[in-house]
Amino acid sequence: MRPASRENLRAMVRGLLSEVPRKNLWQLAGYAGHPNPDRLQGFLAKAAWDADELRYRVRDYAVATLAEADAVRA
């Protein structure tokens, strides 16, 4: 992932997890310090997303980070 894409993703996630009252691109861009949502809109429009790959990565991370010997297994 390019550094600019990583920075845009970080800004999006931080904004979504923040206390911003409305989660639209104008609000997220403002929270990230951007003058308008163009940068985030471009990022979302041009990024290639693979939902299955993301789900597997998040699952692997959660299992590796949170797993304990006495945890419930599905």
Side-chain angles (χ1 to χ4, degrees):
M1 181 181 283
R2 294 179 29 227
S5 294
R6 196 176 300 270
E7 183 180 321
N8 288 326
L9 179 59
R10 187 175 293 120
M12 291 282 304
V13 171
R14 285 184 178 159
L16 291 170
L17 296 175
S18 74
E19 296 296 323
V20 172
R22 296 189 60 187
K23 307 296 192 215
N24 60 48
L25 285 182
W26 274 103
Q27 300 293 326
L28 299 180
Y31 183 80
H34 303 164
N36 57 50
D38 294 348
R39 184 172 168 178
L40 298 179
Q41 284 176 334
F43 169 68
L44 291 175
K46 295 175 186 172
W49 300 99
D50 182 345
D52 292 332
E53 176 67 21
L54 179 60
R55 183 179 63 246
Y56 295 137
R57 285 185 183 208
V58 170
R59 180 194 174 280
D60 291 346
Y61 172 80
V63 168
T65 305
L66 304 173
E68 297 206 11
D70 61 346
V72 175
R73 296 190 185 256

